[in-house]
């Protein structure tokens, strides 16, 4: 067979591959710009038009104290929002870390703790930095005392659930199972954020900023884990000690 044809065939196949690294870079850049835009608007004390529109859309027109939907929906929203509470997230991180330790995945267990604790600390710091007041357009359906921006429930749930989901990937071989885990995790995180707006304790921009920050944090931790795994395999291949 002509070597020129073989070379061209390989080049054609290579050129047909999607540039996932470039695409991921663009998505991350857009997310960072969106986060910076939200932060700059909030820092200037300005209001966002969609904040008022969306939060009022979840209340009966003319009655900002009455949420839309059936009578049981506020109770359901509080149950969902509890999935992003500090107590539940701490329990999830503890169980996930215990599972990783049982599998002798020491590095991943340590990274899980560092990522989640570090992310929660950053969210707390940002809340103190921006000190945004809670929404005053509607009646709150649960009591909250901390600052509003960014949403701690949205950010911390994204940090915890997405980080754990991606760090557990080495234990999941099937691609469709990995996809299910990611979609299920994103659904839970999404519902938690929506519940915060429905309960009237967060502006939509608080939730959006929390989602973006949490997702970027989880993505960074996943990328760090990939790098550490590659380094460990390289050391093992060269005869050095490999960390689990």
């Amino acid at each position: 067979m002509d070597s020129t044809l073989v070379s061209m065939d390989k080049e054609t196949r290579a050129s047909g591959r999607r540039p996932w690294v470039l695409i991921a870079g663009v998505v991350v850049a857009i997310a960072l710009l969106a986060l910076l835009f939200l932060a700059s608007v909030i820092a200037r004390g300005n209001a966002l038009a969609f904040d008022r529109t969306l939060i009022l859309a979840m209340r009966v027109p003319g009655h900002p104290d009455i949420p839309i939907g059936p009578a049981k929906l506020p109770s359901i929203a509080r149950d969902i929002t509890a999935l992003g509470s500090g107590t539940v997230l701490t329990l999830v991180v503890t169980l996930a870390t215990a599972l990783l330790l049982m599998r002798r995945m020491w590095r991943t267990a340590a990274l899980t703790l560092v990522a989640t604790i570090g992310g929660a600390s950053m969210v707390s710091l940002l809340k103190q930095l921006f000190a945004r007041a809670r929404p005053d357009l509607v009646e709150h359906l649960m009591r909250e005392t901390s600052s509003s921006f960014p949403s701690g429930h949205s950010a911390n749930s994204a940090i915890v659930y997405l980080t754990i989901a991606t760090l557990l990937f080495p234990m999941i071989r099937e691609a469709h199972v990995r996809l299910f885990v990611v979609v299920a995790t994103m659904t839970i995180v999404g519902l938690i954020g929506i519940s915060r707006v429905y309960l009237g304790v967060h502006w939509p921009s608080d939730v959006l900023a929390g989602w973006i920050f949490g997702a970027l944090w989880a993505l960074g931790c996943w990328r760090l884990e990939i790098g550490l795994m590659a380094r460990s395999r390289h050391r093992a291949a060269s005869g050095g000690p490999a960390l689990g």
Side-chain angles (χ1 to χ4, degrees), residues 9 11 21 56 60 92 94 102 112 135 142 158 167 185 188 211 226 231:
D9 182 57
E11 183 178 351
V21 175
L56 288 178
V60 175
V92 170
T94 301
M102 290 173 63
T112 299
M142 66 183 302
L167 293 183
T185 302
I188 293 173
W211 282 338
I226 293 297
R231 184 176 179 180

Side-chain angles (χ1 to χ4, degrees), residues 195-213:
S195 73
R196 302 302 286 170
V197 179
Y198 181 82
L199 294 171
V201 295
H202 273 298
W203 299 102
S205 55
D206 300 333
V207 171
L208 181 58
W211 282 338
I212 294 175
F213 178 84

